[in-house]
Amino acid sequence: MLVEYIEQAMSKAKYERMKDQEPYYGEILACKGVWAKGKTLAECKEHLRQVLEDWLFVRIRKGLSIPSMNGKSIRPLVKVQYDKAQAGQTSKIHCLGI
């Protein structure tokens, strides 16, 4: 589901050409702060995908909200406890709600 979310977000990316050493600029407006540049459009898209992935991981780790993309959503991390049946121990794990 994370891959689907990334694909949906990338489909909303806007690109423009500027007068610059790296003339291609792309951003995903719904994901504040997600933007990238590149010497070619393909390079810009790859950089933008990397920035989006990093942005998602930071927001997930910090439990921050993430905007929905065409019906695809990611909920923040939640802590749950489970009992290890054989060891009789309780452990904490982190779950990502997708």
Side-chain angles (χ1 to χ4, degrees):
M1 293 283 270
L2 189 57
V3 171
E4 291 174 9
Y5 181 91
I6 291 169
E7 291 304 319
Q8 289 298 320
M10 289 298 294
S11 74
K12 293 186 173 289
K14 303 291 182 201
Y15 300 95
E16 64 182 82
R17 200 161 173 183
M18 307 179 312
K19 291 183 179 182
D20 193 69
Q21 192 173 16
E22 291 183 302
Y24 291 92
Y25 172 83
E27 67 181 326
I28 301 172
L29 294 173
C31 302
K32 188 175 178 180
V34 176
W35 64 272
K37 294 173 68 177
K39 291 182 181 178
T40 65
L41 182 57
E43 182 179 276
C44 180
K45 286 181 179 183
E46 180 57 33
H47 290 172
L48 187 61
R49 180 179 296 275
Q50 291 169 359
V51 170
L52 174 62
E53 289 173 3
D54 291 345
W55 181 86
L56 282 169
F57 290 129
V58 167
R59 294 191 74 83
I60 290 166
R61 178 69 178 110
K62 291 188 170 202
L64 301 172
S65 65
I66 298 169
S68 294
M69 293 287 169
N70 293 342
K72 304 292 182 202
S73 61
I74 300 173
R75 293 184 307 266
L77 285 171
V78 295
K79 292 181 182 178
V80 297
Q81 292 186 349
Y82 70 97
D83 291 324
K84 293 182 180 177
Q86 294 156 331
Q89 299 173 334
T90 300
S91 299
K92 289 184 180 180
I93 59 172
H94 297 280
C95 295
L96 176 61
I98 297 178

